[in-house]
């Protein structure tokens, strides 16, 4: 087999992105102009919501969403323990307290059966993450939120175009948050979007993202500069048109990889519920280190050496990260994190512990051709034979 180097993620840019960028450069207007507006309109239409508000990245999308649902200092937000850090750091940035829930053993998304344990008199919101592109169990999560009068913020940063029971993610909870970071299903370089059907939430986010200035002279709230630039809007608005096509190819590649590798005894392709459309941000497999005789990290290194780049995350639960364990921030500690409920994050959650460090994402981006996919399959199979 001739060696190849198959990358795990690559932005795919076309003629329209270049033309849009040229248009922005010619216009001399770099902020909050027609390109950002076009991106917002197209994204609202795609997600099927009333409002899409563009911001600088996915992390601040979450921060502003938390503000707009009315989070106050010391209020608690239930988040899954195995996800990218900013799901939880954004809560702290907004003066809230992340409360870490276990994950579903099969789906890796927030375990709704653990919500009751996490609920306190300070709980204000639940933030499910549609991890790796598979929607979280929204029916159960929203039912729990309704029962306890909590907001639901969907962290859809990894799930552009995923559907749960026919509904686009980002349109199911009160607010949805997306990231358009360079490796995502579509990109704007850096970028984020907040989606909602609530006029008041959209209005608050529009105000806060630009210094909370409704006019040239007044700052009416604690605002930020979290705007999206026209250059980002130029790329993003062109990419939206290609998302369905990109996702079709991602799905085709991922389904083929997961099917053809399913006989290997040291790995388990991730579960996909039949009532979802997976966005396959990842083509995830779970490694059994006892059967493989190697850790997830060692396998990741081996495959890398053989020319197959994979993702290997999330290795440590968020409740073990120093930032949360030691309440590290603000050159001091979180002043509000040790509230009357005293969350010390000294947790050992069974499903999180079983999964952490054992998931790998195979290369599945739409820029791969069939020969690349063949190479990934052959390489993983060949590597497997060395383990026997
Ligand atoms: C689950 C999740 N939430 C939030 C974010 C934050 O997005 P950004 O990198 O655009 O700030 C990411 C980014 O990768 C993510 O994967």
């Amino acid at each position: 087999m001739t060696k190849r180097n198959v990358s795990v993620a690559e932005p795919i840019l076309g003629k329209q992105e270049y033309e849009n960028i040229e248009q922005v450069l010619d216009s001399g207007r770099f902020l909050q102009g027609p390109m950002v507006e076009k991106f917002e309109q197209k994204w609202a239409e795609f997600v099927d919501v009333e409002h899409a508000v563009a911001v600088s990245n996915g992390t601040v999308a979450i921060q502003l969403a938390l503000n707009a649902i009315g989070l106050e200092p010391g209020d608690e937000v239930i988040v899954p323990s195995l996800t990218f850090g900013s799901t939880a750091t954004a809560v702290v940035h907004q003066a809230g307290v992340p409360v870490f829930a276990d994950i579903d053993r099969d789906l890796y998304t927030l375990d709704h059966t653990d919500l009751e344990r996490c609920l306190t008199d300070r709980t204000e919101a639940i933030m499910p993450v549609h991890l790796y592109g598979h929607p979280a169990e929204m029916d159960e999560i929203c039912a729990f939120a309704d029962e306890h009068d909590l907001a639901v913020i969907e962290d859809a940063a990894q799930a552009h175009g995923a559907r749960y029971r026919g509904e686009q993610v980002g349109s199911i909870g009160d607010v949805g948050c997306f990231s358009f970071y360079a490796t995502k299903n579509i990109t704007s370089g850096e970028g984020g979007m907040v989606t909602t059907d609530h006029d008041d939430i959209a209005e608050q986010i529009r105000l806060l993202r630009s210094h909370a200035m409704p006019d040239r002279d007044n700052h009416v709230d604690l605002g930020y500069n979290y705007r999206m630039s026209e250059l980002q809007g130029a790329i993003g608005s062109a990419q939206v048109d290609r998302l369905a096509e990109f996702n079709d190819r991602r799905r085709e590649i991922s389904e083929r990889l997961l099917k053809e590798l399913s006989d290997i005894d040291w790995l388990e392709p991730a579960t996909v519920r039949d009532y979802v459309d997976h966005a396959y941000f990842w083509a995830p497999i779970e490694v059994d280190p006892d059967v493989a005789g190697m850790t997830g990290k060692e396998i990741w290194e081996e495959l890398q050496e053989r020319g197959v780049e994979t993702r290997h995350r999330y290795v440590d639960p968020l409740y073990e990260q120093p930032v949360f364990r030691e309440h590290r921030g603000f050159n001091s500690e979180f002043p509000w994190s040790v509230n009357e409920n005293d969350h010390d994050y000294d947790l050992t959650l069974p499903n999180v512990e079983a999964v952490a460090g054992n998931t790998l994402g195979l290369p599945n981006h739409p820029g791969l051709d069939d020969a690349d996919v063949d190479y990934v399959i052959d390489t993983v199979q060949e590597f497997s034979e060395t383990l026997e």
Side-chain angles (χ1 to χ4, degrees):
M1 192 167 41
T2 318
K3 186 158 185 228
R4 287 180 173 236
N5 284 309
V6 184
S7 64
V8 77
E10 248 170 50
I12 300 169
L13 301 172
K15 208 162 134 251
Q16 194 61 51
E17 285 82 337
Y18 285 88
E19 279 177 17
N20 285 0
I21 286 182
E22 214 176 322
Q23 220 175 302
V24 172
L25 295 179
D26 288 345
S27 79
R29 177 160 183 184
F30 294 125
L31 278 168
Q32 294 292 170
M35 287 295 176
V36 170
E37 268 170 37
K38 200 190 292 180
F39 190 15
E40 290 179 328
Q41 273 165 13
K42 286 184 180 183
W43 197 246
E45 206 171 300
F46 181 85
V47 177
D48 195 18
V49 285
E50 287 295 317
H51 308 277
V53 186
V55 292
S56 330
N57 57 62
T59 307
V60 302
I62 297 171
Q63 191 189 338
L64 294 185
L66 287 163
N67 179 298
I69 57 108
L71 198 81
E72 293 180 10
D75 282 347
E76 297 176 1
V77 182
I78 303 173
V79 298
S81 307
L82 211 64
T83 169
F84 186 60
S86 45
T87 306
T89 53
V91 177
V92 180
H93 286 140
Q94 201 51 42
V97 183
V99 175
F100 293 110
D102 205 350
I103 54 166
D104 183 290
R105 182 65 189 85
D106 297 324
L107 303 180
Y108 314 136
T109 56
L110 181 72
D111 177 6
H112 63 89
T113 67
D114 199 31
L115 289 171
E116 196 72 51
R117 178 188 64 81
C118 299
L119 186 73
T120 76
D121 54 347
R122 295 301 304 264
T123 311
E124 189 65 26
I126 310 174
M127 187 155 34
V129 179
H130 305 305
L131 199 73
Y132 308 150
H134 191 296
E137 297 282 51
M138 293 306 290
D139 277 357
E140 290 82 355
I141 292 167
C142 292
F144 186 91
D146 278 352
E147 190 186 332
H148 299 281
D149 198 20
L150 309 174
V152 175
I153 297 173
E154 295 174 70
D155 180 342
Q158 302 187 357
H160 315 70
R163 286 172 183 267
Y164 175 82
R165 300 190 190 279
E167 281 184 81
Q168 284 284 341
V169 301
S171 72
I172 304 165
D174 297 286
V175 199
C177 300
F178 291 87
S179 159
F180 299 102
Y181 178 70
T183 61
K184 296 288 159 55
N185 292 36
I186 56 168
T187 186
S188 54
E190 284 272 19
M193 197 78 82
V194 185
T195 51
T196 185
D197 283 324
H198 298 283
D199 298 347
D200 53 341
I201 288 178
E203 197 182 319
Q204 172 76 348
I205 291 170
R206 285 198 188 100
L207 182 70
L208 291 186
R209 76 175 163 182
S210 193
H211 306 292
M213 293 182 81
D215 52 50
R216 283 187 62 87
D217 303 313
N218 292 296
H219 298 272
V220 297
D221 198 339
L222 180 61
Y224 308 87
N225 179 356
Y226 287 166
R227 292 180 301 243
M228 177 180 275
S229 79
E230 280 287 278
L231 291 164
Q232 291 168 288
I235 302 171
S237 62
Q239 291 260 295
V240 183
D241 295 338
R242 305 183 68 194
L243 178 55
E245 166 209 338
F246 286 168
N247 275 2
D248 283 349
R249 179 68 181 150
R250 269 182 187 276
R251 193 164 297 125
E252 185 182 17
I253 295 171
S254 307
E255 287 177 354
R256 185 170 163 224
L257 288 170
L258 298 177
K259 184 160 172 272
E260 297 211 18
L261 297 174
S262 63
D263 287 342
I264 295 175
D265 60 355
W266 56 267
L267 67 83
E268 189 71 45
T271 306
V272 183
R273 294 282 184 246
D274 60 7
Y275 46 80
V276 310
D277 290 337
H278 201 310
Y280 287 110
F281 174 51
W282 280 33
I285 54 171
E286 187 177 328
V287 172
D288 185 332
D290 293 333
V291 177
M294 276 184 153
T295 63
K297 178 153 191 251
E298 285 165 341
I299 294 171
W300 170 71
E301 279 165 356
E302 282 286 336
L303 293 176
Q304 179 90 9
E305 250 168 53
R306 291 161 196 259
V308 173
E309 189 188 5
T310 60
R311 293 183 164 100
H312 177 234
R313 310 179 88 172
Y314 295 90
V315 176
D316 297 309
L318 287 186
Y319 53 71
E320 282 180 10
Q321 296 286 345
V323 57
F324 300 113
R325 261 287 156 85
E326 294 157 32
H327 303 140
R328 273 196 210 166
F330 307 94
N331 292 319
S332 166
E333 57 170 36
F334 307 167
W336 41 79
S337 68
V338 186
N339 64 13
E340 59 268 37
N341 296 319
D342 194 13
H343 293 285
D344 58 5
Y345 302 127
D346 187 10
L347 294 165
T348 311
L349 300 176
N351 296 338
V352 170
E353 299 290 329
V355 171
N358 293 333
T359 50
L360 294 181
L362 299 166
N364 64 342
H365 64 84
L368 300 179
D369 61 24
D370 290 344
D372 292 322
V373 182
D374 291 341
Y375 183 80
V376 174
I377 293 168
D378 293 345
T379 304
V380 177
Q381 281 169 340
E382 232 177 68
F383 163 68
S384 278
E385 282 158 23
T386 69
L387 297 175
E388 282 162 9

